[in-house]
Amino acid sequence: WTNNGLDGIRADFAQGLPSQAWEYIINRTRQVKWDFVFFAEVLDPDEVLYRTNRLFDVITTVDHYLYRSDTASMSVLAASLEKEAGMFGYNAAVLHNGTSHDEQGNGNPWLPGHCH
């Protein structure tokens, strides 16, 4: 445990662990720190996204790249949002416009003036 010094984690490839493992980890953690935030990167098919959304507080999906694209049209963005709302409901916490170590050209994101 971190003596309540850690407020949350981002689970890269969260779908790599079975749902039962995440349920155990989340439940045990919340016994110690009820407001701990679990954030999942899930880039798999809809069924996996749905299950992960039920466990985690915040997720990101395979469409997160659309929100940094100069070529994504409003209709493409709207279709992505509607698909997510249909799958998760309108109250789901889905992060858009995030960046990832998996992307090309990130360089050093900690340098001043670096943005996507």
Side-chain angles (χ1 to χ4, degrees):
W1 300 112
T2 65
N3 293 325
N4 288 330
L6 189 64
D7 294 322
I9 62 166
R10 174 188 176 270
D12 192 16
F13 190 66
Q15 68 272 30
L17 286 178
S19 296
Q20 296 87 348
W22 280 118
E23 285 180 39
Y24 177 80
I25 293 166
I26 291 168
N27 288 333
R28 290 287 298 173
T29 302
R30 294 229 166 103
Q31 289 174 7
V32 176
K33 186 171 175 85
W34 66 269
D35 59 348
F36 195 87
V37 177
F38 287 89
F39 172 45
E41 175 201 51
V42 184
L43 307 178
D44 271 351
D46 294 350
E47 299 80 16
V48 177
L49 280 168
Y50 179 79
R51 281 195 314 269
T52 307
N53 178 61
R54 292 174 50 109
L55 296 170
F56 282 78
D57 302 306
V58 182
I59 65 169
T60 190
T61 71
V62 72
D63 284 354
H64 75 279
Y65 76 93
L66 291 173
Y67 299 87
R68 291 183 313 284
S69 172
D70 294 337
T71 60
S73 67
M74 286 305 293
S75 60
V76 168
L77 295 175
S80 173
L81 291 171
E82 286 298 324
K83 179 182 176 190
E84 289 173 358
M87 190 176 351
F88 309 132
Y90 287 97
N91 293 322
V94 181
L95 176 69
H96 299 111
N97 197 28
T99 188
S100 167
H101 61 89
D102 298 324
E103 297 164 16
Q104 296 293 327
N106 265 351
N108 185 344
W110 303 107
L111 291 175
H114 182 85
C115 64
H116 293 277

